[in-house]
Amino acid sequence: MAKQYDIIIRLLMVGDSGVGKTCMLCRFADDDISSTHVSTIGIDFKIKTLTIDGKKIRIQIWDTAGQERYETITKQYYRRAQGIVLVYDMKNEESFKNIQKWMKYISDFAPEDVELILVANKSDAYNSERKVSKEHGEMFAKEHRIPFYETSAYMDMNINEAFIMLARIVMKRHKKEIDKQMEHIRLFCREDSDAHIIEKQGKDNNGCCVLM
Amino acid sequence: MSICVHPFPECSASREDVAEPVPSDVLPMLSFKGVSHTPSVESDSWTFVDITQLPNKTDTSELNSKFLGLEDWDIISAKEVTGNLNGNFGKDRSMVAMPFVGAFVNQVEKTINKVQRIFISSEIEDEIAKAARPPLSDADFHKFLDQQGRLVRPGEFRLHVYHGGIEPSLRKVAWRHLLNIFPDGMTGEERFYYLKRKANEYADLKKKWLSDEREEVKYITNMVHKDVLRTDRMHKFYAGGDENHNVNKLYNLLCTYALSHPDVSYCQGMSDLASPILYVMKDEAHAYLCFCGVMTRLKGNFMLDGLCMTKKFDHLSMLLRCCDPEFYDYLGEQNASDLFFCYRWLLLELKREFAFHDALSVLEVMWSSLPPDYPEGELELCGPPAPLSPCMSPTDRMRFKFAKQRSVSQGGSSPGSPKSSDTTFEHFDQKTDTSKIHNGNKQKKRLHSKDSSSIESDISEESGYSSKSTSVDQTPQSVINNDLPIVANHFSEPEPTKERKTSDGKSSVKSPSVATTNGSVNKNPYSSLPPPQDFGGGNPFMLFMCLTLLIEHRDYVIGNQLDYNELAMHFDRMVRRHNAEKVLYRARTLFADYLRAEINMTQAECASPVNSPMKRSVTGHKGESC
């Protein structure tokens, strides 16, 4: 398969069951939420390619099952993540409270330099349905110094913004490796036009960069 | 011996809307005139079917001759065979057990031997068409009943379903039998009253939680609620607004199960298992009974200890390695040999991989490949109280690791290294973990010391059992001192002749070729696999279905050099798109090869019972096969 990307970054989505993680992801990756009305078993996975600051970025996003029973499996993926989207449902206070729990898992299992964002999904909710105020969400995010977004996968509000923001801060964090990698790929392209070799080399580099 | 079989009128009457056979006073045809098993010549509607049965008692030589003449047998049930063997070889219940499914072997073309052939063959469509059998019809089903409606030929019943599936209109009746909700030997009338009584029992269980306002209850019902709203909603049976009463039924039955089985509770995925059952049964209480029937076998999949799933992963991996080493190696290179992308397949027995109606066929064929497992006494509608609180804290839960064997064998590698991060689970302190599990079990035992066949993976029990039943390389000490997760014993146990575990505790599943060069007697690749009773946690056919899905896509995956993520995505895209007929056909063919190898092996062992009396010890015990 021809690899049309330059750089891979790995994101992970966590949050309680039913907060809309899969919907967000499908909206972002496929711009379609019609097929997502199904619970995630274990872990799902999507890819989206974007150009950010002139760099072609391949974003891999792992979508985890929110239910506790799957935590043993989903936690396998924490340590591979460079960025994590913490999602709660603004109509469900419990899911907001549990953000603490998810933060704890992240500090236990994810790499130290992982970047986070906090997302309050379902902003299409009527005011009467809202259980977690924007201020509460913002306060929490501020405390932990992470960006905060209110999104609606259903109405396609802020979804792209949230993911792109996370991709950007991940890229910033890994700037050194990424620049090195870009340089490497560019050199390779000049030296040899054999797509296969480029692809292989690119892949190896990515693997290396991403997993460090 | 001849048995006369009568088309059983109550079944046709009851098939669609009436729950189950109506009592004799309603339908005069179902009468009890003391009709014996002698053929009645008065009626044209009597049919005569010859069936041959294994005698209850037989000496070894007779048994061997029976085995050698296996091809003459229409059907052999596990019960009959184990019964015989136990009679012969004393009390050892772990003796050779011929799979019930052994009989399937003879039903498949004998000429097909090579895995490749069925995948390369361009005439596959023709072959499928040729092999196609008609689904089980009402009239077919009657042939398996006696005059009182007893299912007297369960083996043939299952065999028919295995090859052709079931006509949709008969599913409601047939699934109840496939899912083992009736005790053995019930007449139609008895089943009718049994269902009625059980439905009341269900209603009582449901009432209990409906009036329970505690937080724990709310917590579980909330979980269930979230999931029923997204289970098969594309199907018209569950479609529409949230007030769809079928969705509500699904909710009720899942909540009742979760709250009556605190040891299992609710877990995502259960709604997928319950949904086709409710669709077929329509009646909530009957669906509940069938769901309990399924969960008797599958609850292990949802247990926190993960042992059952680990075993299934390991077995699938062994199978793939056996049948397609090249693909296996490719996956290894991609760090995908953990087969994690098959998680949903194994958890839900492929329910989500096929379109809804195809899934119904796949499920019934899969169920029919299993030997009947009648409830002793009655089907239990509720489980034992939870040994550990269902609401225990997340940190407690974390201690129950997903006991992947490899994570231990690679225990030295640092968690941060790319390799281990790709292929292993968390590295918990083994000793702490094991002691934790054992403590949990002690507690469990105190609570239900009588329930020896209790479903939950009672680990200490299991390891104790394996030390008794395995002989060659499993000493009780090795079980007790073992630092490995207990699952290692568990799965190395069925076949002590092959070295599965070396003394340093590393797993070493030998590939067939290696085994051969070492002078082992293996002649076919399947001989290194566990016996059907154990393989795939007691559902070997499901593994062959998974294998088929993998092999069908292997050329694409290898050809395009898909990496771990890409191949996970590739299979994700295939959700609900697999061709059920094709996959079933191929899986049957592969499965038949495996069973044939098993039978050959068993025959060889039967022929020399003195030399190898324990070679194929078997966990024939409900609670232990996950």
Side-chain angles (χ1 to χ4, degrees), chain A residues 18-19 88-96 120-133 150 154:
Chain A
V19 296
Y88 68 88
D89 170 4
M90 66 174 68
K91 296 196 289 183
N92 178 343
E93 207 180 343
E94 193 63 28
S95 73
F96 178 60
N121 194 29
K122 308 196 185 177
S123 64
D124 49 283
Y126 297 112
N127 276 339
S128 58
E129 291 177 301
R130 185 194 266 271
K131 295 280 157 51
V132 185
S133 70
E150 289 203 328
Y154 182 64

mmCIF file of all heavy atoms in Angstrom, chain A residues 18-19 88-96 120-133 150 154:
data_model
loop_
_atom_site.group_PDB
_atom_site.id
_atom_site.type_symbol
_atom_site.label_atom_id
_atom_site.label_comp_id
_atom_site.label_asym_id
_atom_site.label_seq_id
_atom_site.Cartn_x
_atom_site.Cartn_y
_atom_site.Cartn_z
ATOM 1 N N GLY A 18 -20.627 5.708 26.221
ATOM 2 C CA GLY A 18 -21.798 6.457 25.763
ATOM 3 C C GLY A 18 -21.633 7.961 25.704
ATOM 4 O O GLY A 18 -22.598 8.672 25.478
ATOM 5 N N VAL A 19 -20.414 8.462 25.878
ATOM 6 C CA VAL A 19 -20.255 9.920 25.823
ATOM 7 C C VAL A 19 -20.118 10.423 24.389
ATOM 8 O O VAL A 19 -20.194 11.625 24.136
ATOM 9 C CB VAL A 19 -19.052 10.421 26.665
ATOM 10 C CG1 VAL A 19 -19.266 10.133 28.138
ATOM 11 C CG2 VAL A 19 -17.746 9.839 26.174
ATOM 12 N N TYR A 88 -16.101 13.784 27.909
ATOM 13 C CA TYR A 88 -17.256 13.527 28.769
ATOM 14 C C TYR A 88 -18.503 14.053 28.077
ATOM 15 O O TYR A 88 -18.427 14.775 27.080
ATOM 16 C CB TYR A 88 -17.070 14.126 30.171
ATOM 17 C CG TYR A 88 -17.071 15.631 30.254
ATOM 18 C CD1 TYR A 88 -18.286 16.332 30.420
ATOM 19 C CD2 TYR A 88 -15.897 16.364 30.204
ATOM 20 C CE1 TYR A 88 -18.297 17.722 30.513
ATOM 21 C CE2 TYR A 88 -15.910 17.755 30.297
ATOM 22 C CZ TYR A 88 -17.105 18.427 30.446
ATOM 23 O OH TYR A 88 -17.123 19.789 30.537
ATOM 24 N N ASP A 89 -19.632 13.666 28.621
ATOM 25 C CA ASP A 89 -20.914 14.064 28.062
ATOM 26 C C ASP A 89 -21.472 15.164 28.954
ATOM 27 O O ASP A 89 -21.682 14.949 30.148
ATOM 28 C CB ASP A 89 -21.818 12.818 28.047
ATOM 29 C CG ASP A 89 -23.268 13.134 27.702
ATOM 30 O OD1 ASP A 89 -23.573 14.298 27.405
ATOM 31 O OD2 ASP A 89 -24.085 12.199 27.751
ATOM 32 N N MET A 90 -21.696 16.323 28.376
ATOM 33 C CA MET A 90 -22.149 17.435 29.234
ATOM 34 C C MET A 90 -23.555 17.203 29.798
ATOM 35 O O MET A 90 -23.991 17.898 30.704
ATOM 36 C CB MET A 90 -22.077 18.762 28.470
ATOM 37 C CG MET A 90 -23.028 18.850 27.301
ATOM 38 S SD MET A 90 -22.991 20.494 26.585
ATOM 39 C CE MET A 90 -21.360 20.553 25.877
ATOM 40 N N LYS A 91 -24.226 16.198 29.276
ATOM 41 C CA LYS A 91 -25.550 15.862 29.822
ATOM 42 C C LYS A 91 -25.460 14.827 30.941
ATOM 43 O O LYS A 91 -26.463 14.366 31.455
ATOM 44 C CB LYS A 91 -26.439 15.293 28.699
ATOM 45 C CG LYS A 91 -26.732 16.305 27.600
ATOM 46 C CD LYS A 91 -27.890 15.874 26.718
ATOM 47 C CE LYS A 91 -27.534 14.719 25.826
ATOM 48 N NZ LYS A 91 -28.643 14.357 24.922
ATOM 49 N N ASN A 92 -24.237 14.412 31.236
ATOM 50 C CA ASN A 92 -24.064 13.328 32.192
ATOM 51 C C ASN A 92 -22.959 13.698 33.182
ATOM 52 O O ASN A 92 -21.769 13.666 32.861
ATOM 53 C CB ASN A 92 -23.702 12.065 31.407
ATOM 54 C CG ASN A 92 -23.455 10.864 32.301
ATOM 55 O OD1 ASN A 92 -23.248 11.001 33.502
ATOM 56 N ND2 ASN A 92 -23.470 9.699 31.701
ATOM 57 N N GLU A 93 -23.386 14.068 34.369
ATOM 58 C CA GLU A 93 -22.434 14.571 35.352
ATOM 59 C C GLU A 93 -21.413 13.509 35.743
ATOM 60 O O GLU A 93 -20.233 13.797 35.960
ATOM 61 C CB GLU A 93 -23.192 15.056 36.592
ATOM 62 C CG GLU A 93 -22.430 16.124 37.311
ATOM 63 C CD GLU A 93 -23.150 16.622 38.550
ATOM 64 O OE1 GLU A 93 -24.371 16.364 38.660
ATOM 65 O OE2 GLU A 93 -22.496 17.233 39.387
ATOM 66 N N GLU A 94 -21.908 12.281 35.847
ATOM 67 C CA GLU A 94 -21.041 11.167 36.224
ATOM 68 C C GLU A 94 -19.835 11.075 35.279
ATOM 69 O O GLU A 94 -18.704 10.857 35.707
ATOM 70 C CB GLU A 94 -21.871 9.865 36.150
ATOM 71 C CG GLU A 94 -21.242 8.660 36.778
ATOM 72 C CD GLU A 94 -21.021 8.803 38.277
ATOM 73 O OE1 GLU A 94 -21.801 9.553 38.922
ATOM 74 O OE2 GLU A 94 -20.080 8.181 38.780
ATOM 75 N N SER A 95 -20.117 11.247 34.006
ATOM 76 C CA SER A 95 -19.032 11.103 33.032
ATOM 77 C C SER A 95 -17.985 12.211 33.226
ATOM 78 O O SER A 95 -16.813 12.007 32.942
ATOM 79 C CB SER A 95 -19.583 11.105 31.607
ATOM 80 O OG SER A 95 -20.001 12.400 31.229
ATOM 81 N N PHE A 96 -18.437 13.349 33.728
ATOM 82 C CA PHE A 96 -17.494 14.439 34.015
ATOM 83 C C PHE A 96 -16.669 14.110 35.253
ATOM 84 O O PHE A 96 -15.457 14.280 35.281
ATOM 85 C CB PHE A 96 -18.259 15.758 34.183
ATOM 86 C CG PHE A 96 -17.377 16.929 34.519
ATOM 87 C CD1 PHE A 96 -16.371 17.324 33.654
ATOM 88 C CD2 PHE A 96 -17.552 17.638 35.697
ATOM 89 C CE1 PHE A 96 -15.547 18.400 33.949
ATOM 90 C CE2 PHE A 96 -16.739 18.716 36.005
ATOM 91 C CZ PHE A 96 -15.737 19.099 35.136
ATOM 92 N N ALA A 120 -15.987 18.341 26.037
ATOM 93 C CA ALA A 120 -17.353 18.123 26.515
ATOM 94 C C ALA A 120 -18.207 17.924 25.278
ATOM 95 O O ALA A 120 -18.438 18.868 24.524
ATOM 96 C CB ALA A 120 -17.830 19.330 27.301
ATOM 97 N N ASN A 121 -18.640 16.708 25.072
ATOM 98 C CA ASN A 121 -19.393 16.417 23.848
ATOM 99 C C ASN A 121 -20.895 16.638 24.082
ATOM 100 O O ASN A 121 -21.355 16.775 25.197
ATOM 101 C CB ASN A 121 -19.093 14.984 23.395
ATOM 102 C CG ASN A 121 -19.565 14.729 21.971
ATOM 103 O OD1 ASN A 121 -19.619 15.650 21.144
ATOM 104 N ND2 ASN A 121 -19.948 13.509 21.678
ATOM 105 N N LYS A 122 -21.614 16.616 23.003
ATOM 106 C CA LYS A 122 -23.072 16.766 22.988
ATOM 107 C C LYS A 122 -23.506 18.197 23.301
ATOM 108 O O LYS A 122 -24.470 18.433 24.032
ATOM 109 C CB LYS A 122 -23.760 15.767 23.936
ATOM 110 C CG LYS A 122 -23.309 14.310 23.689
ATOM 111 C CD LYS A 122 -24.208 13.290 24.301
ATOM 112 C CE LYS A 122 -23.614 11.891 24.109
ATOM 113 N NZ LYS A 122 -24.374 10.818 24.735
ATOM 114 N N SER A 123 -22.775 19.151 22.728
ATOM 115 C CA SER A 123 -23.132 20.544 22.981
ATOM 116 C C SER A 123 -24.411 20.930 22.247
ATOM 117 O O SER A 123 -24.893 22.051 22.377
ATOM 118 C CB SER A 123 -21.980 21.477 22.568
ATOM 119 O OG SER A 123 -21.780 21.378 21.169
ATOM 120 N N ASP A 124 -24.945 20.015 21.468
ATOM 121 C CA ASP A 124 -26.247 20.261 20.845
ATOM 122 C C ASP A 124 -27.381 20.119 21.849
ATOM 123 O O ASP A 124 -28.545 20.346 21.517
ATOM 124 C CB ASP A 124 -26.444 19.277 19.687
ATOM 125 C CG ASP A 124 -26.136 17.846 20.084
ATOM 126 O OD1 ASP A 124 -24.939 17.485 20.187
ATOM 127 O OD2 ASP A 124 -27.078 17.086 20.334
ATOM 128 N N ALA A 125 -27.051 19.745 23.065
ATOM 129 C CA ALA A 125 -28.077 19.525 24.079
ATOM 130 C C ALA A 125 -28.845 20.808 24.386
ATOM 131 O O ALA A 125 -28.305 21.902 24.277
ATOM 132 C CB ALA A 125 -27.422 19.018 25.366
ATOM 133 N N TYR A 126 -30.099 20.652 24.737
ATOM 134 C CA TYR A 126 -30.859 21.805 25.212
ATOM 135 C C TYR A 126 -30.297 22.237 26.553
ATOM 136 O O TYR A 126 -29.735 21.443 27.298
ATOM 137 C CB TYR A 126 -32.335 21.439 25.384
ATOM 138 C CG TYR A 126 -32.994 21.045 24.098
ATOM 139 C CD1 TYR A 126 -33.405 19.727 23.889
ATOM 140 C CD2 TYR A 126 -33.201 21.979 23.079
ATOM 141 C CE1 TYR A 126 -34.010 19.353 22.703
ATOM 142 C CE2 TYR A 126 -33.792 21.610 21.898
ATOM 143 C CZ TYR A 126 -34.208 20.299 21.704
ATOM 144 O OH TYR A 126 -34.784 19.932 20.530
ATOM 145 N N ASN A 127 -30.490 23.491 26.840
ATOM 146 C CA ASN A 127 -29.976 23.999 28.105
ATOM 147 C C ASN A 127 -30.488 23.211 29.300
ATOM 148 O O ASN A 127 -29.773 22.982 30.271
ATOM 149 C CB ASN A 127 -30.339 25.472 28.261
ATOM 150 C CG ASN A 127 -29.322 26.340 27.540
ATOM 151 O OD1 ASN A 127 -28.196 25.893 27.285
ATOM 152 N ND2 ASN A 127 -29.718 27.545 27.180
ATOM 153 N N SER A 128 -31.736 22.804 29.187
ATOM 154 C CA SER A 128 -32.321 22.083 30.327
ATOM 155 C C SER A 128 -31.668 20.723 30.531
ATOM 156 O O SER A 128 -31.702 20.172 31.617
ATOM 157 C CB SER A 128 -33.821 21.901 30.091
ATOM 158 O OG SER A 128 -34.029 21.197 28.888
ATOM 159 N N GLU A 129 -31.073 20.208 29.449
ATOM 160 C CA GLU A 129 -30.462 18.886 29.570
ATOM 161 C C GLU A 129 -29.038 18.947 30.096
ATOM 162 O O GLU A 129 -28.480 17.951 30.529
ATOM 163 C CB GLU A 129 -30.421 18.189 28.198
ATOM 164 C CG GLU A 129 -31.773 17.789 27.655
ATOM 165 C CD GLU A 129 -31.630 17.182 26.277
ATOM 166 O OE1 GLU A 129 -31.105 17.876 25.373
ATOM 167 O OE2 GLU A 129 -32.022 16.020 26.107
ATOM 168 N N ARG A 130 -28.463 20.097 29.981
ATOM 169 C CA ARG A 130 -27.055 20.230 30.359
ATOM 170 C C ARG A 130 -26.866 20.038 31.863
ATOM 171 O O ARG A 130 -27.573 20.641 32.669
ATOM 172 C CB ARG A 130 -26.554 21.605 29.945
ATOM 173 C CG ARG A 130 -25.084 21.832 30.159
ATOM 174 C CD ARG A 130 -24.751 23.286 30.041
ATOM 175 N NE ARG A 130 -24.307 23.686 28.708
ATOM 176 C CZ ARG A 130 -23.029 23.651 28.321
ATOM 177 N NH1 ARG A 130 -22.118 23.202 29.132
ATOM 178 N NH2 ARG A 130 -22.703 24.070 27.125
ATOM 179 N N LYS A 131 -25.917 19.209 32.213
ATOM 180 C CA LYS A 131 -25.664 18.937 33.625
ATOM 181 C C LYS A 131 -24.305 19.469 34.066
ATOM 182 O O LYS A 131 -24.058 19.609 35.256
ATOM 183 C CB LYS A 131 -25.723 17.411 33.888
ATOM 184 C CG LYS A 131 -27.086 16.789 33.656
ATOM 185 C CD LYS A 131 -28.001 17.044 34.845
ATOM 186 C CE LYS A 131 -29.480 16.966 34.475
ATOM 187 N NZ LYS A 131 -29.857 15.748 33.747
ATOM 188 N N VAL A 132 -23.437 19.705 33.091
ATOM 189 C CA VAL A 132 -22.120 20.215 33.436
ATOM 190 C C VAL A 132 -21.924 21.546 32.712
ATOM 191 O O VAL A 132 -21.976 21.602 31.485
ATOM 192 C CB VAL A 132 -21.003 19.231 33.005
ATOM 193 C CG1 VAL A 132 -19.649 19.714 33.483
ATOM 194 C CG2 VAL A 132 -21.290 17.826 33.514
ATOM 195 N N SER A 133 -21.715 22.575 33.493
ATOM 196 C CA SER A 133 -21.611 23.898 32.877
ATOM 197 C C SER A 133 -20.276 24.054 32.169
ATOM 198 O O SER A 133 -19.301 23.365 32.479
ATOM 199 C CB SER A 133 -21.744 24.982 33.947
ATOM 200 O OG SER A 133 -20.592 24.959 34.762
ATOM 201 N N GLU A 150 -15.937 22.454 23.757
ATOM 202 C CA GLU A 150 -17.272 21.885 23.767
ATOM 203 C C GLU A 150 -17.613 21.529 22.327
ATOM 204 O O GLU A 150 -17.507 22.369 21.436
ATOM 205 C CB GLU A 150 -18.293 22.877 24.336
ATOM 206 C CG GLU A 150 -18.108 23.075 25.832
ATOM 207 C CD GLU A 150 -19.381 23.566 26.531
ATOM 208 O OE1 GLU A 150 -20.172 24.300 25.909
ATOM 209 O OE2 GLU A 150 -19.564 23.195 27.699
ATOM 210 N N TYR A 154 -22.833 15.306 16.648
ATOM 211 C CA TYR A 154 -24.109 15.273 15.938
ATOM 212 C C TYR A 154 -24.241 16.456 14.988
ATOM 213 O O TYR A 154 -24.594 16.312 13.821
ATOM 214 C CB TYR A 154 -25.221 15.263 16.987
ATOM 215 C CG TYR A 154 -26.607 15.170 16.428
ATOM 216 C CD1 TYR A 154 -27.013 14.028 15.723
ATOM 217 C CD2 TYR A 154 -27.518 16.205 16.617
ATOM 218 C CE1 TYR A 154 -28.295 13.948 15.214
ATOM 219 C CE2 TYR A 154 -28.801 16.131 16.113
ATOM 220 C CZ TYR A 154 -29.185 15.001 15.406
ATOM 221 O OH TYR A 154 -30.452 14.912 14.899
#
